[in-house]
Amino acid sequence: MLTTRFVDGAPDWIEVGTPDVEGATSFYGPLFGWTYRSAGPEGGGYGFFERDGQIVAASTRVTPEQGPPAWTVYFQTSDADATAEVARAAGGGVTSPPEQVRSQGRSAILTDTAGVPFGVWEPEGRTGLDRAGDVGSLCWAELHTPDVARTAAFFRRVLGWETTGVTFPGGVYTSLNPAGTGEDGAFGGLVPLADDPDDARAGARPHWLPYFGVDDPDAVVAEAAALGGGVRMPATSIAGVGRLARLEDPYGAVFAVLRGDPEEQ
């Protein structure tokens, strides 16, 4: 389960790269009950999304040269520099080398063997998000990848992840957890890119798909469409999982929403 009791290898931060921070705020604000707070003039366009005064996500302005709008998930590490070196040695890459973020910690953007960006955060003054695992906050994270076995081996080496095969009506799902935490520490999963109908239909490249908790996925889908977003997969119930939907914001950043319910039919 994704919580704010962060350990090495667990998701601890998430940010959306967008060409229009004001527009993104106008979308995500009413959708999730978020308010926006700028990091200030020295923040370079960086800012925080808050719910009830607690940080649940962040945003940063991106240009077309920097890449398409997307959500980036960060994971805790006790040594960002060492993690970046291991990622490079394991066949990944270093997009943004580790750097100090004021007195808050050290941050880096890396890529896995399929070229998918992810962040690492070495906490100092700030451990991570103030809120996770409930309504209006990050509750799950999936990596849609062309090679599950290779990706699992990469992250096992880089972040110490453990995997578990979970059987469900549609097949076997590869669940992820930080080392030594077992099923109680599960925070996400690996999805074969070729097996996902939405990815195939959209011609998607490998990517992270963050899930945000909601009370009413159907209402959120309708609201997202009214706010100018896209519906990639309508609200759908999956037994033993819950009711979920896949959406994109007006600039193309893809995300999902979930009402977890093991009894959902």
Side-chain angles (χ1 to χ4, degrees):
M1 178 180 178
L2 205 159
T3 73
T4 54
R5 297 188 297 273
F6 302 121
V7 297
D8 279 4
D12 61 357
W13 195 257
I14 185 167
E15 69 189 23
V16 64
T18 178
D20 184 349
V21 172
E22 293 77 12
T25 300
S26 296
F27 176 78
Y28 290 106
L31 197 68
F32 293 138
W34 292 354
T35 57
Y36 177 78
R37 176 169 61 86
S38 171
E42 69 277 17
Y46 203 83
F48 309 100
F49 288 120
E50 299 179 337
R51 182 180 169 95
D52 301 327
Q54 296 178 305
I55 295 176
V56 291
S59 70
T60 185
R61 197 179 307 275
V62 296
T63 65
E65 293 74 27
Q66 292 172 307
W71 283 96
T72 299
V73 184
Y74 286 70
F75 301 90
Q76 179 168 300
T77 177
S78 56
D79 190 332
D81 295 87
T83 300
E85 288 305 313
V86 173
R88 185 182 285 113
V94 178
T95 301
S96 298
E99 63 177 352
Q100 187 71 29
V101 182
R102 304 180 191 172
S103 61
Q104 301 302 300
R106 288 181 65 74
S107 173
I109 299 294
L110 313 177
T111 57
D112 65 19
T113 52
V116 183
F118 65 99
V120 294
W121 176 253
E122 178 186 339
E124 293 176 8
R126 167 162 289 279
T127 56
L129 299 171
D130 293 328
R131 185 170 177 171
D134 63 357
V135 171
S137 66
L138 180 67
C139 66
W140 195 252
E142 283 180 345
L143 176 52
H144 292 226
T145 178
D147 190 332
V148 167
R150 187 183 185 197
T151 298
F154 171 84
F155 282 106
R156 186 177 302 114
R157 182 174 173 184
V158 175
L159 292 175
W161 291 354
E162 298 171 346
T163 59
T164 303
V166 179
T167 302
F168 71 104
V172 178
Y173 185 82
T174 302
S175 178
L176 302 169
N177 62 270
T181 61
E183 292 184 10
D184 289 343
F187 63 79
L190 300 177
V191 175
L193 190 68
D195 294 349
D196 186 279
D198 176 61
D199 288 337
R201 183 171 56 253
R205 302 182 65 177
H207 62 282
W208 277 99
L209 179 69
Y211 285 70
F212 298 96
V214 297
D215 284 324
D216 188 341
D218 296 79
V220 171
V221 168
E223 180 74 359
L227 291 167
V231 179
R232 296 279 294 267
M233 184 183 80
T236 304
S237 293
I238 299 178
V241 176
R243 191 161 178 82
L244 54 89
R246 195 176 301 178
L247 307 168
E248 63 182 24
D249 70 18
Y251 310 99
V254 180
F255 64 99
V257 295
L258 170 67
R259 182 187 67 209
D261 184 356
E263 303 301 321
E264 189 77 59
Q265 299 295 324

